[in-house]
């Protein structure tokens, strides 16, 4: 059953919305060495790359590590491509081959089926997989992967055009988009409402993508929307150019209540000025886009990858802005599964204690 689901998700991309920033999907998984799109993958998930000359030039040496990302227009795929381009020429033990997938949930299943060696996933989806809960309740636990690093925040943004909505409690009785049905966003919304002693029964639930939610806010069809993505988020930026918006803030007590139950959340502040008309800072929480590895990959290979990533974070940041906040101390926060021995070795050398 796990194999069947992995193939379905990888090939059809039906659940791309599970992954927020990495969510944009393509019909077939495509593969690139060194970040150059150059191959198509059959629905079976195994990649047979026909790499373009530009990609081959940066393909690196050593064993191939297939890196599962997201759709080819999403952030996960772009981030993976930059990693391959920057790190492949520097590593001796391995090289990265970036593959487009259905993102977080599909990536965990691909690692379990040995069709990927590395992947970028949301840390909350990673937690559900490791514990066999929520998105993975029907399938059971996946324990064939471990963490390398939290790469960057994917922020919980509650966007509204209704000036009467100033807190989560004010959502009661309102029409609220909570992301696509069965998505990670939907679970984030449930958990935040739960921290305020509310459920979906207290709101009028609408399931919609970020883009559709923004359109519905613009047209007055909904009162608020949960968006889980790096801020600024394009759909919200576009909305703010034509409509007055505000962001709903979470208070310290409810953030602590949320974190006490779900330790994959980290406190986050969206700076004032991120969106037109939202001048003050907004306190909220984030999940994290996280790099994970198959437990079958050796300690030495993951150690070299981890060290190369931090040693060359400036070059990575030049390739993609998401790496600008890459920091070893921050990278271990909000991680609720064990770290890979190779990553653990690197962090311990830096004086950072991890499990």
């Amino acid at each position: 059953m796990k194999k069947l689901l992995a193939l379905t998700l990888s090939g059809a991309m039906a659940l791309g919305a599970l992954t927020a920033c990495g969510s944009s999907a393509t019909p077939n998984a495509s593969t690139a060495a060194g970040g150059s799109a150059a191959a198509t993958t059959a629905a079976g998930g195994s990649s047979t790359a026909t790499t373009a000359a530009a990609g081959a030039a940066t393909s690196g040496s050593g064993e191939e590590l297939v890196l599962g990302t997201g759709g080819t227009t999403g952030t996960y795929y772009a981030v993976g491509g930059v990693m391959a381009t920057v790190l492949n020429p520097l590593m001796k033990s391995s090289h990265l081959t970036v593959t487009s997938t259905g993102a977080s949930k599909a990536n965990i299943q691909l690692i379990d089926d040995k069709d990927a060696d590395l992947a970028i996933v949301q840390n909350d989806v990673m937690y559900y997989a490791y514990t066999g809960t929520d998105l993975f309740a029907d399938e059971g636990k996946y324990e064939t992967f471990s963490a390398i690093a939290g790469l960057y925040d994917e922020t919980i943004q509650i966007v509204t055009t209704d000036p009467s909505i100033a807190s989560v409690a004010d959502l009661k009785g309102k029409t609220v988009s909570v992301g696509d049905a069965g998505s990670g966003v939907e679970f984030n919304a449930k958990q935040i409402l739960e921290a305020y002693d509310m459920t979906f029964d207290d709101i009028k639930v609408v399931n919609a993508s970020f883009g559709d939610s923004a359109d519905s806010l613009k047209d007055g069809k909904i009162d608020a929307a949960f968006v889980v993505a790096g801020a600024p988020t394009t759909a919200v930026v576009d909305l703010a150019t034509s409509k007055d918006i505000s962001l709903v803030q979470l208070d310290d007590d409810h953030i602590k209540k949320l974190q006490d139950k779900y330790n994959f959340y980290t406190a986050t502040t969206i700076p004032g000025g991120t969106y037109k008309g939202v001048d003050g800072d907004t306190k909220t929480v984030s999940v994290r886009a996280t790099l994970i590895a198959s437990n079958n990959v050796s300690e030495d290979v993951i150690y070299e990858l981890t060290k190369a990533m931090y040693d060359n974070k400036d070059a990575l940041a030049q390739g993609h802005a998401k790496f600008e906040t890459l920091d070893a101390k921050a990278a271990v926060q909000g991680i609720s599964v064990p770290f890979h021995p190779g990553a653990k070795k690197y962090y311990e050398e830096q004086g950072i204690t991890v499990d």
Side-chain angles (χ1 to χ4, degrees):
M1 178 59 73
K2 289 182 179 181
K3 178 72 173 179
L4 176 60
L5 286 170
L7 301 186
T8 301
L9 288 171
S10 178
M13 302 299 194
L15 292 180
L18 294 173
T19 59
C21 280
S23 65
S24 299
T26 53
N28 295 312
S30 61
T31 305
S36 300
T40 57
T41 303
S46 298
S47 301
T48 304
T50 54
T51 308
T58 57
S59 61
S61 59
E63 68 177 272
E64 179 188 42
L65 298 179
V66 175
L67 170 59
T69 57
T72 55
T73 60
T75 304
Y76 286 5
Y77 187 77
V79 164
V82 169
M83 288 179 62
T85 299
V86 172
L87 302 182
N88 279 355
L90 304 174
M91 298 188 299
K92 297 180 180 179
S93 300
S94 65
H95 65 276
L96 307 180
T97 296
V98 180
T99 186
S100 171
T101 71
S104 290
K105 185 174 183 179
N107 286 344
I108 288 166
Q109 293 167 325
L110 289 169
I111 284 181
D112 189 69
D113 289 324
K114 300 180 181 179
D115 288 324
D117 306 291
L118 306 169
I120 302 173
V121 302
Q122 278 187 203
N123 66 333
D124 55 337
V125 177
M126 174 179 74
Y127 169 81
Y128 304 147
Y130 201 79
T131 57
T133 56
D134 291 327
L135 292 174
F136 291 85
D138 292 337
E139 301 159 54
K141 297 179 181 180
Y142 284 75
E143 298 176 321
T144 52
F145 68 91
S146 46
I148 297 176
L151 299 177
Y152 58 87
D153 285 345
E154 296 187 311
T155 304
I156 315 296
Q157 304 169 75
I158 308 174
V159 185
T160 183
T161 54
D162 184 344
S164 71
I165 300 175
S167 72
V168 174
D170 294 332
L171 294 175
K172 191 168 185 177
K174 302 293 186 179
T175 303
V176 184
S177 172
V178 296
D180 287 317
S183 69
V185 180
E186 189 176 53
F187 281 100
N188 297 143
K190 285 180 180 178
Q191 291 156 3
I192 288 171
L193 290 175
E194 178 188 353
Y196 283 79
D197 299 318
M198 296 168 63
T199 70
F200 277 5
D201 291 336
D202 294 306
I203 63 174
K204 298 171 185 175
V205 172
V206 172
N207 290 112
S209 67
F210 300 158
D212 288 344
S213 296
D215 289 341
S216 293
L217 282 168
K218 183 178 179 180
D219 296 337
K221 295 179 180 178
I222 63 174
D223 302 303
F226 281 80
V227 174
V228 183
T233 305
T234 301
V236 183
V237 170
D238 292 344
L239 174 65
T241 63
S242 59
K243 197 86 171 177
D244 290 339
I245 70 163
S246 59
L247 299 176
V248 178
Q249 185 157 257
L250 277 62
D251 62 83
D252 291 337
D253 289 343
H254 286 95
I255 288 175
K256 183 179 185 303
K257 183 178 178 181
L258 181 69
Q259 290 175 318
D260 284 346
K261 186 166 184 180
Y262 304 105
N263 64 1
F264 47 76
Y265 284 109
T266 56
T268 301
T269 298
I270 302 172
T274 299
Y275 298 111
K276 180 183 177 182
V278 184
D279 298 326
D281 292 348
T282 303
K283 190 176 294 183
T284 183
V285 292
S286 293
V287 291
R288 306 212 80 203
T290 303
L291 183 65
I292 64 172
S294 166
N295 294 336
N296 292 326
V297 183
S298 74
E299 177 179 334
D300 290 344
V301 166
I302 296 301
Y303 172 81
E304 181 188 47
L305 170 64
T306 307
K307 187 175 188 304
M309 186 171 64
Y310 288 111
D311 286 351
N312 297 279
K313 62 182 181 180
D314 289 343
L316 290 169
Q318 289 176 3
H320 200 291
K322 289 299 183 185
F323 287 107
E324 290 176 359
T325 58
L326 181 64
D327 174 79
K329 290 183 179 179
V332 302
Q333 297 176 6
I335 305 298
S336 50
V337 306
F339 278 84
H340 192 284
K344 183 177 181 180
K345 178 182 176 181
Y346 174 82
Y347 291 122
E348 290 179 345
E349 288 180 351
Q350 310 307 309
I352 301 170
T353 302
V354 298
D355 295 329

